[in-house]
């Protein structure tokens, strides 16, 4: 099991009703609702009570108008085969354990499990405002709480174990983060993090020789990477907005370690000069490319890119269907046998990776989740 908090982007309004409707509707293509329940609402506990329950929850939330973030959205992903081991009562018990550990046992919430071809997962939308005390609960260091509950539930219900970074195990430096795995699962394209890790040794060698921030920026620019401050740390950014923690490249690349070497962070200038005085040149561009290769993939990929170039700028059904390589293959499967071969190859490969939750692009926009983290 992998439990992931879906964060709210700063400046984007919190929309609990939209999230509750999304959980009940299972809107993602090829996805369906498996189980659904409501907790701590006088309106009821079943999907037929959802409209009244959402009104009840919103009434409580309106009593805290000064709080911008009043929703805690949790996604719990299960490994292949775990679904058959769990009844609805089991799933509700697992949800209750997360709620108790996070301090939300008495809080209103909507929960549901979704099934699609790639993974089985649970969404839980907690109202952070207590319905009686009106106290707003925000768990501290919740990633440790989530990991602890996940390990306990795996053991209790005989589920496949997904060791986390809090389990005392040495982190595999080549292991993709949940955000990168999610990107690849939903697009079937190589993630930015995979691109970075592919050149890890060269990047680290170059950074090891850098003496200041301009030289560090120059090294990263060769691989189409920009480094920026985010929160209390630093992230590596791709041209299309994907991000990964700088420390995921290596612990020596944490904000603390880099500032110990180069001093306070200096942002990269738009035209970063190299040592020779010329603009730093990119040697290894990050470009979207198929995650799984086949001898005939290039021809199909060129067709995909060609069709994307012809799309109108305004959103349309065709544009949505071609928003990524995965959607293109699914659309072509009925007419092109190669597309079906690649679909099967991608799914076979993804079965070997830990599952990631399926989140709709519309929900991302409403909830303010960074698109580079969880694109669809």
């Amino acid at each position: 099991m992998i439990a992931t908090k879906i964060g709210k982007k700063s400046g984007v309004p919190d929309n609990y009703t939209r999230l509750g409707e999304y959980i009940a509707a299972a809107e993602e293509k090829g996805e369906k609702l498996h189980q659904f329940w409501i907790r701590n609402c006088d309106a009821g506990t079943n999907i037929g009570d959802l409209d009244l329950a959402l009104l009840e929850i919103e009434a409580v939330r309106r009593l805290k108008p000064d709080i911008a973030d009043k929703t805690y959205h949790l996604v719990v992903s299960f490994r292949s085969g775990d679904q058959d081991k769990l009844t609805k009562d089991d799933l509700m018990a697992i949800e209750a354990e997360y709620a108790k550990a996070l301090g939300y046992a008495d809080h209103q919430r909507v929960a549901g499990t979704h099934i699609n071809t790639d993974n089985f997962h649970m969404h839980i939308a907690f109202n952070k405002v207590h319905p009686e005390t009106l106290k707003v609960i925000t768990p501290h260091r919740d990633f440790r709480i989530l990991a602890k509950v996940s390990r306990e539930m795996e053991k209790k219900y005989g589920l496949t174990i997904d060791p986390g970074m809090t389990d005392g195990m040495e982190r595999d430096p080549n292991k993709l983060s949940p955000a990168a795995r999610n990107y690849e699962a939903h697009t079937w394209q190589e993630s930015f993090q995979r691109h970075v890790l592919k050149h890890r040794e060269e990047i680290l060698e170059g950074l090891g020789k850098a003496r200041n921030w301009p030289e560090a920026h120059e090294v990263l620019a060769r691989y189409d990477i920009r480094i920026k401050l985010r929160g209390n740390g630093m992230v590596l950014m791709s041209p299309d907005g994907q991000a990964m923690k700088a420390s995921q490249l290596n612990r020596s690349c944490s904000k603390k370690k880099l500032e110990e070497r180069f001093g306070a962070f200096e942002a990269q200038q738009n035209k970063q000069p190299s040592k020779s005085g010329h603009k730093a040149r990119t040697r290894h561009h990050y470009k979207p490319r198929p995650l799984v290769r086949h001898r005939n993939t290039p021809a199909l990929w060129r067709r995909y890119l060609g069709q994307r170039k012809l799309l109108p700028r305004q959103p349309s059904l065709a544009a949505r269907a071609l928003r990524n390589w995965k959607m293109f293959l699914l659309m072509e499967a009925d007419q092109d046998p190669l597309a079906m071969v690649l679909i099967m190859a991608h799914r076979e490969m993804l079965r070997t990776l830990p599952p990631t939750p399926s989140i709709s692009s519309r929900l991302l926009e409403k909830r303010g989740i960074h698109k580079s983290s969880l694109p669809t």
Side-chain angles (χ1 to χ4, degrees):
M1 297 164 61
I2 297 177
T4 307
K5 174 190 174 183
I6 307 300
K8 175 187 176 300
K9 186 177 180 181
S10 176
V12 178
D14 189 351
N15 192 334
Y16 187 94
T17 294
R18 179 67 190 90
L19 176 57
E21 292 172 344
Y22 164 77
I23 294 173
E27 297 173 349
E28 194 73 18
K29 181 178 176 62
E31 188 172 75
K32 64 179 181 179
L33 183 68
H34 175 244
Q35 301 289 357
F36 182 87
W37 60 94
I38 301 168
R39 300 267 200 188
N40 298 326
C41 287
D42 293 333
T45 60
N46 300 315
I47 195 167
D49 307 312
L50 179 62
D51 290 343
L52 283 177
L54 291 176
L55 289 173
E56 183 180 335
I57 292 171
E58 292 292 0
V60 172
R61 292 160 65 85
R62 280 196 292 270
L63 297 175
K64 302 294 287 187
D66 297 332
I67 304 298
D69 184 4
K70 293 175 278 195
T71 302
Y72 189 102
H73 180 193
L74 180 65
V75 177
V76 182
S77 296
F78 299 87
R79 286 286 194 115
S80 176
D82 284 349
Q83 176 188 339
D84 297 334
K85 303 175 184 178
L86 299 167
T87 65
K88 181 177 181 179
D89 287 342
D90 294 335
L91 292 166
M92 292 180 69
I94 290 172
E95 173 263 308
E97 288 297 326
Y98 282 110
K100 179 181 177 181
L102 291 167
Y104 293 133
D106 298 326
H107 286 236
Q108 299 159 317
R109 54 193 185 269
V110 168
T113 49
H114 293 180
I115 304 173
N116 64 24
T117 55
D118 292 329
N119 62 84
F120 174 60
H121 57 276
M122 177 194 300
H123 289 269
I124 312 169
F126 296 101
N127 177 16
K128 293 166 68 172
V129 184
H130 192 283
E132 296 180 4
T133 67
L134 299 185
K135 184 177 180 180
V136 179
I137 302 295
T138 301
H140 178 61
R141 298 180 71 82
D142 51 351
F143 66 94
R144 294 187 180 276
I145 297 172
L146 297 176
K148 182 176 184 293
V149 175
S150 296
R151 302 297 82 78
E152 292 173 350
M153 295 300 98
E154 288 164 349
K155 183 177 180 179
K156 180 175 180 179
Y157 294 99
L159 307 178
T160 304
I161 297 176
D162 277 303
M165 66 179 180
T166 61
D167 297 326
M169 299 181 65
E170 187 67 24
R171 188 179 184 276
D172 181 356
N174 294 307
K175 184 178 180 181
L176 296 181
S177 68
R181 295 201 309 271
N182 206 340
Y183 176 88
E184 294 189 347
H186 286 84
T187 66
W188 292 353
Q189 297 170 189
E190 286 189 5
S191 63
F192 170 65
Q193 188 175 355
R194 189 179 292 274
H195 163 76
V196 173
L197 296 181
K198 190 185 303 181
H199 302 289
R200 175 202 295 273
E201 298 305 321
E202 306 161 35
I203 296 172
L204 291 177
E205 182 180 356
L207 289 176
K209 297 176 182 178
R211 295 167 296 179
N212 50 46
W213 280 113
E215 290 184 5
H217 287 306
E218 180 184 343
V219 170
L220 294 173
R222 297 172 194 158
Y223 302 90
D224 232 359
I225 302 169
R226 292 178 70 95
I227 188 168
K228 297 182 178 181
L229 294 175
R230 176 177 290 179
N232 295 323
M234 289 181 176
V235 293
L236 305 180
M237 298 286 299
S238 71
D240 66 356
Q242 294 182 63
M244 62 179 282
K245 292 180 180 179
S247 58
Q248 288 177 321
L249 175 62
N250 189 270
R251 291 179 180 177
S252 64
C253 298
S254 67
K255 180 174 182 287
K256 179 181 178 181
K257 294 291 186 181
L258 290 177
E259 289 192 330
E260 285 177 355
R261 290 181 58 198
F262 305 140
F265 178 72
E266 299 174 17
Q268 180 179 8
Q269 302 301 313
N270 289 334
K271 293 183 179 180
Q272 180 69 37
S274 66
K275 296 176 183 177
S276 61
H278 301 292
K279 183 179 177 181
R281 298 183 61 182
T282 302
R283 297 178 184 173
H284 302 281
H285 287 276
Y286 170 67
K287 297 179 180 179
R289 63 191 70 192
L291 191 58
V292 173
R293 308 295 176 85
H294 182 278
R295 64 179 181 277
N296 293 323
T297 299
L300 199 57
W301 178 255
R302 285 194 295 271
R303 191 162 86 224
Y304 162 66
L305 295 178
Q307 291 188 26
R308 281 184 60 87
K309 289 181 181 179
L310 298 176
L311 291 175
R313 293 188 177 182
Q314 284 71 29
S316 65
L317 183 60
R320 291 178 59 192
L322 290 173
R323 66 180 183 266
N324 60 50
W325 175 235
K326 176 181 178 180
M327 295 303 297
F328 171 76
L329 289 178
L330 293 174
M331 188 174 65
E332 293 287 306
D334 290 339
Q335 302 176 4
D336 192 329
L338 176 58
M340 180 56 72
V341 170
L342 292 176
I343 288 171
M344 299 307 294
H346 279 83
R347 287 180 174 168
E348 184 63 30
M349 187 206 72
L350 290 170
R351 284 195 189 98
T352 67
L353 300 176
T356 49
S358 179
I359 310 278
S360 74
S361 57
R362 281 184 294 169
L363 176 63
L364 295 180
E365 295 171 358
K366 293 286 185 180
R367 296 284 298 129
I369 304 165
H370 200 281
K371 290 185 178 181
S372 69
S373 299
L374 298 176
T376 57

